[in-house]
Amino acid sequence: MKNTLLRRAVSAALVTALTLFGLTPTAGAAVVRLSANLTASSNNGPYGAGNAGDGNQGSYWESTNNVFPQWIQADLGAAKDVSKVVLRLPANWEQRTQTLVVQGSANGSQFSDIVGSRGQVFSPGSNNTVTLDFAATSVRYVRVTITANTAWPAGQLSEFEVHGESGPVDPPPSGDDLAAGKPVEESGHVHNFVPANAVDGNTGTYWESNGFPGHLTAKLGADADLSSVVVKLNPDPIWGARTQNFEVLGREAGATAFATLKARADYRFDPAGGNSVTIPVTARASDVRLHFYSNTGAPGGQVAEFQVFGATAPGPDLTVTNLTWTPASPSEADAIRLTATVRNGGQVASGATSVNVTLPSKGARDVTLTWQSSDPRVVTATGEVTRP
């Protein structure tokens, strides 16, 4: 207490001295609840890690029963100065003591203690809330490891809050929003919450899937080199915090199957942080899909804006010239020989490609020329076909 009073007195004297000399001290970054993605060592059925970040004290995470230790972890996305952890259980639960340690890490693999292991009492008299203050520590990952619980043989938390300095605002994603106004496909929607709402540039409208799993696909029209995907909800505070669990998938032009670009994970959406999640992605794709598995705030996946950032990928640029045929004036009974020259003026090879030629006659027929170009330096190719 004496040290605290002394620090306050010194701080006050410093501010006064600076003011006398015409200088105004700059305020530090505000200490706020930080947005984080939550994971856990295990879950007991539906009591997943996302429940501890949904802003609802009535829902909760619970680990596998009868196995200790167990942990729940917050990934802040980048190193932040953290100075407080708030842990909650449902307010109407009976008192219990959980033995736990709070640890921090810069890389997610090497952890050091921030608050040493001890029994923490969750009491209805204090709203079943435990607040742990400590000296500001720069970490990206904050982990609570629970080794005992006097009321249940598992780790339990309804809210896991990490507080610290919000730091500078993240820079806008690099590249263009390639999904804006583009066609979108879906697994299905409820009411009038249609997929086009997710690419209309308006966070006041949104798409909502008709249950789980549900997916939303932005069709970019051509391959793009992606840098990030941004998923937004309405930033109005009436939209309470929630955690959505989803993965990001992609498919290149010409491919049939989707590949995983970002593995399934919990993402917290909080109006206090803009209700927006940015997911770094390094991949090439023409179609980008969000595949939803759960949402602590609704019975379906929800997206107000689905933004895909990056740049259009280099591709082939094919032109057809020198299309000739023999005989010059064929009848429908004649065998026809077609020849075409194809030039690739693009930056990459075209691969196997075809040209369709329609003969303008009664019962018009299609004739196809096919060629292979595997070397991007090859700019011309010629093919022939004979068809009666």
Side-chain angles (χ1 to χ4, degrees):
M1 178 62 73
K2 288 182 179 179
N3 289 337
T4 301
L5 293 174
L6 179 59
R7 284 197 298 270
R8 290 177 180 172
V10 170
S11 298
L14 179 59
V15 171
T16 301
L18 290 172
T19 303
L20 288 174
F21 286 96
L23 302 174
T24 303
T26 302
V31 175
V32 298
R33 179 176 180 177
L34 302 174
S35 179
N37 296 324
L38 302 183
T39 55
S41 55
S42 68
N43 300 318
N44 182 17
Y47 308 116
N51 290 349
D54 62 2
N56 176 11
Q57 194 170 348
S59 65
Y60 62 96
W61 162 74
E62 181 174 298
S63 69
T64 297
N65 287 195
N66 299 303
V67 179
F68 285 111
Q70 298 286 346
W71 54 260
I72 185 168
Q73 177 175 295
D75 178 1
L76 306 178
K80 302 284 180 70
D81 284 337
V82 174
S83 57
K84 180 169 67 175
V85 166
V86 179
L87 308 175
R88 306 182 194 273
L89 289 178
N92 60 349
W93 280 17
E94 69 276 11
Q95 180 171 309
R96 68 201 61 203
T97 298
Q98 296 193 80
T99 303
L100 56 88
V101 58
V102 179
Q103 297 177 307
S105 172
N107 56 19
S109 58
Q110 298 172 309
F111 285 83
S112 57
D113 289 359
I114 298 175
V115 178
S117 178
R118 64 178 69 109
Q120 302 291 348
V121 179
F122 293 80
S123 170
S126 58
N127 197 35
N128 271 339
T129 299
V130 170
T131 300
L132 304 173
D133 291 291
F134 44 85
T137 304
S138 179
V139 291
R140 171 175 173 174
Y141 301 88
V142 180
R143 176 180 290 185
V144 173
T145 300
I146 300 173
T147 55
N149 183 341
T150 60
W152 199 258
Q156 296 172 312
L157 288 175
S158 67
E159 285 296 298
F160 173 22
E161 303 177 11
V162 179
H163 294 247
E165 294 186 0
S166 57
V169 176
D170 291 336
S174 60
D176 300 319
D177 178 11
L178 304 175
K182 294 294 178 62
V184 279
E185 296 179 347
E186 57 162 359
S187 56
H189 63 272
V190 295
H191 308 304
N192 62 339
F193 307 130
V194 296
N197 290 348
V199 292
D200 64 359
N202 178 11
T203 55
T205 64
Y206 65 99
W207 167 81
E208 182 172 326
S209 69
N210 58 345
F212 296 108
H215 60 77
L216 182 69
T217 305
K219 302 184 72 63
L220 309 182
D223 278 338
D225 291 326
L226 310 182
S227 58
S228 63
V229 168
V230 177
V231 182
K232 296 182 177 182
L233 292 179
N234 192 328
D236 192 304
I238 196 172
W239 279 69
R242 65 201 62 206
T243 296
Q244 298 196 77
N245 181 279
F246 60 88
E247 62 181 325
V248 182
L249 306 168
R251 177 173 63 188
E252 292 191 42
T256 55
F258 280 86
T260 298
L261 306 184
K262 278 292 180 180
R264 175 179 174 179
D266 286 333
Y267 294 96
R268 176 179 169 81
F269 293 80
D270 191 336
N275 243 356
S276 178
V277 169
T278 299
I279 306 165
V281 173
T282 303
R284 177 169 291 181
S286 174
D287 299 331
V288 182
R289 172 174 291 179
L290 303 176
H291 195 95
F292 290 84
Y293 295 93
S294 65
N295 181 353
T296 60
Q302 294 173 309
V303 178
E305 282 299 300
F306 178 17
Q307 300 177 321
V308 179
F309 288 91
T312 301
D317 182 11
L318 304 180
T319 58
V320 181
T321 59
N322 301 327
L323 178 62
T324 61
W325 59 91
T326 56
S329 301
S331 70
E332 293 190 11
D334 289 335
I336 303 168
R337 180 178 297 275
L338 295 171
T339 303
T341 299
V342 179
R343 177 182 176 84
N344 182 3
Q347 301 177 36
V348 297
S350 67
T353 314
S354 62
V355 174
N356 293 323
V357 182
T358 300
L359 304 181
S361 65
K362 244 186 191 180
R365 297 170 293 171
D366 287 341
V367 179
T368 300
L369 303 179
T370 303
W371 69 92
Q372 179 79 37
S373 177
S374 57
D375 187 336
R377 292 168 298 178
V378 176
V379 295
T380 61
T382 302
E384 295 184 353
V385 66
T386 300
R387 177 175 175 178

